[in-house]
Amino acid sequence: MDQDEQDRALPIANVSRIMKQILPPSAKISKEGKQVMQECVTEFISFVTGEASDKCHKENRKTVNGDDICWALSSLGFDNYAEAIGRYLHKYRQAEREKINHDKKYENPHINRAPPPPLLLSRVTRDKVENPPPSPPNQSG
Amino acid sequence: MVMAEEEESGVSIQLEFPKGRVKKIMALDKDVKRVSSEALFLVSRSTELFLQFLAEKSAQVAIEKKRKTVNLEHIREAVKRHQPTRDFLLDELPPPSQPTKPDRPTQPAGRPKLDPPPRGTRRIDLFFRKPELDDPAQAQPPENPAQAQPPENPDQDQAQSPVPVDES
């Protein structure tokens, strides 16, 4: 596997580690099995991304957001994942808010710790701007 | 930047897969313009769940077949048993038994081109067809005798042009 192919797949070390966490302690994984599993999960990403991207395209939006991913998972038949991912989405947004508040504390010049780089803060701001709530469709009276 | 792991009721938001790699894979789709950070996070997390699911099912298959090592066949069987996974993944898996490709390319054996016979040589098959050409009914056309007559007057012949004159 050349470097270009490696960049287009998830690292096999991570794949192998997660598999071993799930498998019984006595179980082993063949080298071929690891490689196939690596391809499977990489294909999963492309599969979900494609479905979410199609939805964005139909709604004339350019940024794939978290709700699109949840919708794609449910649409493709991975309903269990959609539920778990929904909880993770909630947790993620909560963590993002806490992180923003945490960053704001260090804007105080009296504290010794250096503030985070501006790029991070602007990134968060840009993400918010790029995710406006979709406007409701106009209904003819 | 290492994301701080925030543990609340056992739910971890630390990612197992590198973000940059997941983003690069998502960007392989030409239709994908931009991806928000939360979408990237959710795809990464759902991929982890999918991997855990597939690993668990593969392990079950291996146990059923009384094997300690999970291999390609066990993963394939696990894929087959889950309809949504089979829909997008079964065609991607390598075939069960890979047929050996033929080493040499198949070329149709062409007949050697016959050189044209040298000029003036009669075809040999004419000798075998010669008896068929004997046709007694076929007669040679009669040869017309020349009707040209020498001029009778030698004196006029010397004076006039040598072209024969029509006496009619």
Side-chain angles (χ1 to χ4, degrees), chain A residues 6-11 14-15 17-19 22-23 27-30 32-33 36-37 40-41 43-45 47 49-50 53 62-66 69 76-78 81 84-85 88-89 91-93 95 98 123 127 130-131, chain B residues 6 8 11-13 16-18 21-22 24-26 28-29 31-39 41-43 45-47 49-56 58-59 68-72 75 82 84-85 88-89 92-93:
Chain A
Q6 271 191 349
D7 284 349
R8 295 164 177 256
L10 291 173
N14 300 61
V15 172
R17 175 165 23 93
I18 296 175
M19 285 183 75
I22 294 294
L23 300 177
K28 293 181 173 57
I29 313 163
S30 71
E32 195 183 24
V36 166
M37 194 63 86
C40 289
V41 292
E43 187 66 22
F44 178 83
I45 294 176
F47 191 48
T49 304
S53 175
K62 290 188 176 180
T63 304
V64 179
N65 58 39
I69 301 300
L76 296 172
F78 297 94
Y81 297 16
I85 289 301
Y88 280 118
L89 179 57
K91 186 65 60 181
Y92 179 84
R93 286 170 175 168
E98 291 177 358
R123 181 182 65 86
D127 287 338
E130 287 179 357
N131 293 294
Chain B
E6 304 194 13
E8 289 190 16
V11 177
S12 167
I13 61 170
E16 294 281 353
F17 295 124
R21 192 68 64 86
V22 175
K24 191 172 293 186
I25 295 171
M26 293 179 76
L28 291 176
D29 192 328
D31 291 333
V32 174
K33 304 299 180 185
R34 276 196 298 266
V35 175
S36 70
S37 60
E38 67 179 24
F41 172 81
L42 293 186
V43 167
R45 178 57 84 183
S46 59
T47 305
L49 296 179
F50 176 71
L51 174 53
Q52 291 170 2
F53 164 81
L54 202 49
E56 184 180 358
S58 303
K68 281 192 176 179
T69 303
V70 176
N71 60 28
L72 170 59
I75 297 174
H82 188 244
T85 303
F88 84 96
L89 209 51
E92 302 290 333
L93 294 176

Side-chain angles (χ1 to χ4, degrees), chain A residues 99 113 120, chain B residues 1-6 13-15 19:
Chain A
K99 192 156 65 67
R113 184 164 177 176
L120 175 63
Chain B
M1 179 191 72
V2 180
M3 180 182 289
E5 181 176 347
E6 304 194 13
I13 61 170
Q14 182 179 4
L15 299 177
K19 272 186 170 180

Side-chain angles (χ1 to χ4, degrees), chain B residues 112-125:
Chain B
K113 186 177 181 181
L114 295 175
D115 294 334
R119 185 174 296 179
T121 305
R122 290 192 300 170
R123 296 174 59 90
I124 192 170
D125 53 350

Side-chain angles (χ1 to χ4, degrees), chain B residues 33-166:
Chain B
K33 304 299 180 185
R34 276 196 298 266
V35 175
S36 70
S37 60
E38 67 179 24
L40 179 59
F41 172 81
L42 293 186
V43 167
S44 185
R45 178 57 84 183
S46 59
T47 305
E48 288 174 27
L49 296 179
F50 176 71
L51 174 53
Q52 291 170 2
F53 164 81
L54 202 49
E56 184 180 358
K57 297 301 175 185
S58 303
Q60 288 179 10
V61 175
I63 292 173
E64 289 174 9
K65 297 178 184 296
K66 305 186 189 307
R67 293 283 189 274
K68 281 192 176 179
T69 303
V70 176
N71 60 28
L72 170 59
E73 296 305 318
H74 304 146
I75 297 174
R76 178 200 312 280
E77 184 63 27
V79 166
K80 285 182 180 178
R81 296 182 181 182
H82 188 244
Q83 185 69 41
T85 303
R86 180 169 67 196
D87 287 346
F88 84 96
L89 209 51
L90 199 55
D91 294 339
E92 302 290 333
L93 294 176
S97 57
Q98 200 162 12
T100 54
K101 296 180 180 179
D103 296 335
R104 53 181 182 178
T106 55
Q107 290 180 351
R111 296 181 58 185
K113 186 177 181 181
L114 295 175
D115 294 334
R119 185 174 296 179
T121 305
R122 290 192 300 170
R123 296 174 59 90
I124 192 170
D125 53 350
L126 289 179
F127 288 93
F128 299 95
R129 293 167 54 186
K130 193 172 183 179
E132 298 177 4
L133 295 178
D134 293 342
D135 190 358
Q138 185 177 3
Q140 292 185 353
E143 184 175 353
N144 295 327
Q147 298 179 358
Q149 295 179 1
E152 296 177 358
N153 194 345
D155 294 338
Q156 291 182 356
D157 187 27
Q158 294 180 356
Q160 296 179 355
S161 63
V163 178
V165 179
D166 189 359

